[in-house]
Amino acid sequence: MGYRENPRPGGRSARVQAAVHQSVRDMLATMDRAEVTIPMIAQRANVTPSTIYRRWGDLQALLADVAAAHLRPEGEPARIGSAREDLEAWVEQYADEMASGVGRQMLRDILAAADSANAEKCGTYTRYQLSVFIARAEACGEPFPTLAELMDHVISPIIYRILFDQTPDPHYVRKLVAKVMRESVVSA
Amino acid sequence: MGYRENPRPGGRSARVQAAVHQSVRDMLATMDRAEVTIPMIAQRANVTPSTIYRRWGDLQALLADVAAAHLRPEGEPARIGSAREDLEAWVEQYADEMASGVGRQMLRDILAAADSANAEKCGTYTRYQLSVFIARAEACGEPFPTLAELMDHVISPIIYRILFDQTPDPHYVRKLVAKVMRESVVSA
DNA sequence: CCACTAACGCAAATTATTTGCTTTTATACA
DNA sequence: TGTATAAAAGCAAATAATTTGCGTTAGTGG
């Protein structure tokens, strides 16, 4: 009865999941989110609507699932130079992606879902990425903010602005990073 | 054809709006959000479903409207002592309310709506409340953070935690306020 | 008091969702 | 290799939500 969280790769279930996810991405790219329906997604994915209803429950949950999958990091963030430079580059790209139309919509879909599992997942992704920079800095003996400081004073303000409709521009993002770095130096 | 944003008070339209809002609040208090439907809301409000569909569009939008109405501040925040004390008390209550089950759900409803007008409204409410503390501090010559500092380093982290499922506890909230106050003193 | 129109009610038509039952298909084990 | 098993998919009927056209009501301004 229960659907497994991570279907065995290559199985039928995995194929259906991939087809449905792809279908959702296609539709979101083509048309307005408000006119996307489960029957349409099902048709494009060559699947019956009831399959989607049984597996995901409703549109909200499906969209949240697709969004979370998209937001999952591919690997470790790029290494350019110092941990600070790496962080700056990463945050700037993060802000850009989240503030884009698609990114914003994904955020909303994730937060709107009744089940907060995807939201948690997202937070975990971000914390993981940041912890990589922290580890690098530590390895070099470079002074660096803590994870909590980065989450509270860099990530949170960016996300807040995006959600409440004030796009964070690159200059603003750099200022946030600069500030948190300055404080970490002082306290070190 | 168009529905006016603020119906004339006392008119039929205003009565319908009040009845529907009340109905929504009643239902959210009684039952799970997932089982609330427009036909049910309509019945309890003694209104036809089509009235609700025509006026609000869909459940998301209606819930966002109700939530935004609930979040609108009643008046100026309480005056207890210094601006700092006032701020501390207010933020603590703000965090509590937003982190509660109902508050969290309202936040989500507001953010999930296709139209971001309600989200913006909410942000404006918060900024307005904070600006009152700033004005008070200025009147007393008390050093105080700027609006941007408060939004970025107090409000944003609180909201982020709530949305991504880490309830901010009172101690954490006090620390945020303490930190932003400390910095404002340094820079003054 | 009358004309005007935004907003509502009603009901039929459409569309989405749920559900019981059947069939398919991976997988584990003989 | 088969064969048993169970998870997940398909199908179709039943239910529920949404949309829409049209007639009615009730505030508003003349």
Side-chain angles (χ1 to χ4, degrees):
Chain A
M1 269 292 152
Y3 284 78
R4 42 179 77 234
E5 169 96 5
N6 294 318
R8 294 194 179 80
R12 177 172 57 156
S13 174
R15 281 200 305 279
V16 167
Q17 175 172 352
V20 170
H21 272 223
Q22 184 59 50
S23 168
V24 169
R25 282 193 297 268
D26 286 353
M27 307 206 66
L28 287 180
T30 332
M31 54 201 299
D32 195 68
R33 195 190 155 296
E35 23 193 319
V36 172
T37 66
I38 288 191
M40 288 171 96
I41 294 168
Q43 184 170 33
R44 184 184 279 244
N46 274 107
V47 148
T48 11
S50 68
T51 294
I52 295 182
Y53 286 115
R54 284 218 162 88
R55 187 152 169 178
W56 281 276
D58 60 11
L59 187 59
Q60 254 339 300
L62 172 55
L63 292 180
D65 189 44
V66 173
H70 184 102
L71 257 40
R72 160 189 251 143
E74 310 256 321
E76 290 211 347
R79 188 156 208 155
I80 315 169
S82 65
R84 172 178 179 155
E85 286 167 319
D86 291 0
L87 173 71
E88 258 173 354
W90 182 85
V91 170
E92 221 161 303
Q93 194 208 298
Y94 174 86
D96 260 19
E97 182 174 350
M98 292 304 204
S100 74
V102 190
R104 200 178 288 233
Q105 193 51 64
M106 289 195 306
L107 258 183
R108 296 203 157 145
D109 288 336
I110 287 173
L111 294 176
D115 180 359
S116 62
N118 281 312
E120 264 183 279
K121 224 188 277 183
C122 249
T124 304
Y125 293 159
T126 306
R127 283 193 298 275
Y128 167 71
Q129 299 277 78
L130 291 175
S131 72
V132 171
F133 298 117
I134 294 175
R136 286 184 193 166
E138 192 168 11
C140 308
E142 197 182 333
F144 213 73
T146 63
L147 182 55
E149 284 171 336
L150 290 174
M151 292 301 290
D152 286 349
H153 302 303
V154 178
I155 301 298
S156 299
I158 290 172
I159 297 296
Y160 183 93
R161 293 212 167 198
I162 290 172
L163 290 176
F164 291 90
D165 240 32
Q166 304 167 272
T167 310
D169 59 89
H171 176 248
Y172 170 76
V173 170
R174 275 194 293 274
K175 258 187 26 186
L176 286 175
V177 173
K179 182 169 184 177
V180 85
M181 292 298 303
R182 206 178 321 130
E183 284 162 27
S184 83
V185 172
V186 169
S187 69
Chain B
M1 268 293 151
Y3 285 77
R4 43 179 76 234
E5 167 96 3
N6 294 317
R8 294 193 179 79
R12 177 172 56 158
S13 174
R15 282 199 304 279
V16 167
Q17 175 173 353
V20 170
H21 273 223
Q22 184 60 49
S23 168
V24 169
R25 282 193 298 268
D26 287 354
M27 307 205 65
L28 287 179
T30 330
M31 55 202 298
D32 195 67
R33 196 190 155 297
E35 22 193 322
V36 173
T37 67
I38 287 191
M40 290 171 96
I41 293 168
Q43 183 169 33
R44 184 184 279 244
N46 274 108
V47 149
T48 328
S50 68
T51 294
I52 295 181
Y53 286 114
R54 284 219 162 88
R55 187 151 168 180
W56 281 277
D58 61 10
L59 187 59
Q60 256 336 304
L62 172 55
L63 292 179
D65 189 44
V66 172
H70 184 101
L71 257 38
R72 159 190 251 145
E74 310 256 321
E76 291 211 343
R79 186 154 210 158
I80 315 170
S82 66
R84 173 180 179 156
E85 287 167 317
D86 292 0
L87 173 70
E88 258 174 354
W90 183 86
V91 171
E92 220 160 303
Q93 194 208 298
Y94 174 87
D96 260 21
E97 184 175 349
M98 293 303 206
S100 72
V102 189
R104 200 178 288 234
Q105 194 50 67
M106 291 195 304
L107 259 182
R108 296 200 160 148
D109 288 335
I110 286 173
L111 295 176
D115 179 1
S116 63
N118 281 313
E120 262 183 281
K121 224 187 278 183
C122 249
T124 303
Y125 293 159
T126 306
R127 284 192 298 274
Y128 168 71
Q129 300 276 78
L130 292 175
S131 71
V132 170
F133 298 117
I134 294 175
R136 287 183 193 166
E138 192 169 10
C140 307
E142 197 182 333
F144 213 74
T146 63
L147 182 54
E149 285 171 335
L150 290 174
M151 291 302 289
D152 286 350
H153 302 303
V154 179
I155 302 298
S156 300
I158 291 172
I159 297 297
Y160 183 93
R161 294 211 167 198
I162 291 171
L163 291 176
F164 290 90
D165 241 34
Q166 302 167 275
T167 308
D169 59 88
H171 175 248
Y172 169 75
V173 170
R174 274 195 294 275
K175 260 187 22 187
L176 286 176
V177 174
K179 181 168 186 179
V180 84
M181 293 297 304
R182 205 179 321 129
E183 283 161 29
S184 82
V185 172
V186 169
S187 67

